[in-house]
Amino acid sequence: MKTVHSYWAYIALAVLLFAVVNAVIGLVQKKEFTHKDFRLGLFTLITAHIQLLIGLGWYFMSPWYKSMKANGIDATNRLLAVEHPIMMILAITLITIGWSKHKKQVKSESKFKTFTIFYGIALLFVLSRIPWSNWLS
């Protein structure tokens, strides 16, 4: 489960990054919001939610979770036990809100702006709390 969570994270992060860059480009260049942009936003939403489900499964099945339940949270476990899950849930919440709000917009500029703001903040949250030492090793 850890391996699936790690590999799917690469996909989710790449799609989120691509969606943010696409939204910024669309906003700056005043492009028309097309079906491609719609699908990219939806694909980002879907991959993020799948990552959340995989992550929650891994969280409650992991050996360090069982150890943490027995011994409590220490400084070394805090990132994995508290900070990472909370920030990822907040990031996915922002992606979901951004997706919902963009559908109510009529103008292309407003749609790109909504994606830029919500997906962009979500990307910052994700990047801030990825356990890089565990992920890159």
Side-chain angles (χ1 to χ4, degrees), residues 132-133 136:
W132 294 104
S133 60
L136 299 175

Side-chain angles (χ1 to χ4, degrees), residues 58-128:
W58 168 241
Y59 185 85
F60 293 111
M61 293 183 342
S62 66
W64 57 264
Y65 174 74
K66 293 172 184 152
S67 170
M68 181 186 62
K69 270 181 65 175
N71 304 325
I73 299 173
D74 59 7
T76 58
N77 288 357
R78 195 177 90 195
L79 173 65
L80 293 174
V82 179
E83 295 172 9
H84 176 72
I86 288 174
M87 290 303 279
M88 298 308 131
I89 290 170
L90 288 174
I92 293 167
T93 301
L94 285 169
I95 291 169
T96 305
I97 292 169
W99 172 257
S100 179
K101 289 180 91 47
H102 109 276
K103 292 190 301 184
K104 297 174 185 166
Q105 305 296 327
V106 177
K107 296 180 182 177
S108 292
E109 181 182 357
S110 299
K111 289 178 179 283
F112 282 124
K113 186 176 182 181
T114 301
F115 275 161
T116 299
I117 292 169
F118 285 93
Y119 283 32
I121 295 170
L123 177 63
L124 292 175
F125 281 10
V126 168
L127 292 174
S128 74

Side-chain angles (χ1 to χ4, degrees), residues 5-86:
H5 182 63
S6 292
Y7 284 119
W8 192 262
Y10 287 113
I11 296 168
L13 182 59
V15 171
L16 178 58
L17 180 63
F18 187 65
V20 170
V21 169
N22 182 66
V24 170
I25 291 170
L27 183 63
V28 171
Q29 295 181 354
K30 300 191 184 314
K31 290 186 173 185
E32 189 66 32
F33 193 86
T34 65
H35 287 295
K36 175 192 76 86
D37 303 308
F38 179 86
R39 288 185 183 118
L40 180 58
L42 179 60
F43 192 60
T44 304
L45 177 79
I46 291 168
T47 57
H49 281 87
I50 291 171
Q51 179 67 357
L52 173 65
L53 294 175
I54 296 167
L56 288 173
W58 168 241
Y59 185 85
F60 293 111
M61 293 183 342
S62 66
W64 57 264
Y65 174 74
K66 293 172 184 152
S67 170
M68 181 186 62
K69 270 181 65 175
N71 304 325
I73 299 173
D74 59 7
T76 58
N77 288 357
R78 195 177 90 195
L79 173 65
L80 293 174
V82 179
E83 295 172 9
H84 176 72
I86 288 174

